[in-house]
Amino acid sequence: MASVQITNPKGTASGNVDLPAEIFDCQVNVPLMHQVVTAQLAAARQGSQKTKSHSEVSGGGKKPYKQKGTGNARQGSIRSPQWTGGGHVHSIVPRDYSERTPKKMKAAALRSALSDRARENHVHVLSAIVEGDKPSTKQGVQAVRNVAKGKKVLVIVSLNELVGWFSLRNVNEMHVVSPGQLNTYDVLVADDVVFTKTALDEFLSGPRTGKSASAVGRATDAEVGA
């Protein structure tokens, strides 16, 4: 079990926290991470492209000119694919790109990604993003930069830490998510992963379940987006 220093927003140490080996020090499974990330990106595709085939294009019921005697190639309809405005030969239709990925696969891939970042000392813990009750983008960025030096940073903040959300939500190089939104793709594209102490405790305790937890999550998301 590895230990990581807890840093306060001013950049000084304020204790240590243990990272469980079963999450932050497991064997890295690269093929599994690739499969899960590929499925996640595929599920994000709209799949709403549509072009009309020959049978779907309106008009063109009349033969454009007679079969013989014109010197031109014979044509049956001005809506054939070779004509301007004609239908497509292999028309694109709406489709679902999503792939089946069981929850256990997603969880195992996330453990692999976090373990990879932890072994490189790119997992950090902050006591809070900003001290006090007033959001401050300047102070929030400085707090994160005290521990994370990479260009892209993934910051995991509890849904109850609204001051942290408001402080970092408009910073381009920092992607802010809640413990329940943490996923393999976001971890792999980030150079550093920064947890707040509250968010780390929530993540390690596991996802909340039940109707009441879902209602609380939706209400807090609405507050964050306000």
Side-chain angles (χ1 to χ4, degrees):
M1 181 177 293
S3 179
V4 175
Q5 175 181 287
I6 301 176
T7 307
N8 62 28
K10 295 182 179 179
T12 58
S14 60
N16 292 284
V17 63
D18 293 328
L19 300 179
E22 61 270 17
I23 297 178
F24 293 93
D25 193 23
C26 65
Q27 183 178 359
V28 177
N29 190 333
V30 176
L32 176 61
M33 290 191 295
H34 177 270
Q35 182 177 350
V36 170
V37 168
T38 301
Q40 181 177 341
L41 295 178
R45 298 181 65 177
Q46 269 192 321
S48 58
Q49 311 99 309
K50 178 69 174 74
T51 57
K52 292 184 177 182
S53 65
H54 185 186
S55 62
E56 295 173 315
V57 179
S58 61
K62 180 182 178 181
K63 191 174 176 66
Y65 46 80
K66 63 180 183 178
Q67 182 85 344
K68 297 179 180 295
T70 64
N72 297 315
R74 51 191 166 185
Q75 302 291 337
S77 171
I78 60 172
R79 293 303 177 228
S80 297
Q82 70 271 21
W83 287 75
T84 301
H88 289 249
V89 178
H90 301 291
S91 61
I92 303 173
V93 295
R95 56 167 292 187
D96 182 13
Y97 289 95
S98 61
E99 303 174 10
R100 182 178 177 273
T101 48
K103 291 182 179 180
K104 289 185 177 180
M105 288 178 58
K106 295 178 182 178
L110 179 57
R111 290 195 297 268
S112 292
L114 290 173
S115 297
D116 179 71
R117 290 295 179 263
R119 290 195 182 101
E120 298 175 354
N121 298 319
H122 290 319
V123 175
H124 316 279
V125 180
L126 290 174
S127 60
I129 301 298
V130 175
E131 292 181 338
D133 299 329
K134 185 178 180 180
S136 173
T137 299
K138 181 178 180 181
Q139 294 179 20
V141 171
Q142 184 59 51
V144 173
R145 287 305 178 190
N146 287 334
V147 295
K149 307 302 180 183
K151 182 178 180 180
K152 295 182 179 180
V153 183
L154 176 64
V155 185
I156 301 92
V157 180
S158 171
L159 289 174
N160 297 321
E161 298 176 298
L162 296 182
V163 176
W165 279 92
F166 293 148
S167 299
L168 297 179
R169 62 181 176 176
N170 292 327
V171 182
N172 292 331
E173 66 270 18
M174 296 182 186
H175 183 44
V176 186
V177 299
S178 67
Q181 295 172 321
L182 188 59
N183 60 82
T184 305
Y185 175 77
D186 286 341
V187 173
L188 292 179
V189 298
D191 299 313
D192 288 277
V193 179
V194 179
F195 287 88
T196 63
K197 180 61 170 62
T198 303
L200 180 62
D201 292 339
E202 286 186 12
F203 175 69
L204 296 179
S205 64
R208 293 178 295 179
T209 58
K211 293 183 179 179
S212 60
S214 301
V216 171
R218 288 194 298 269
T220 312
D221 284 338
E223 294 178 8
V224 171

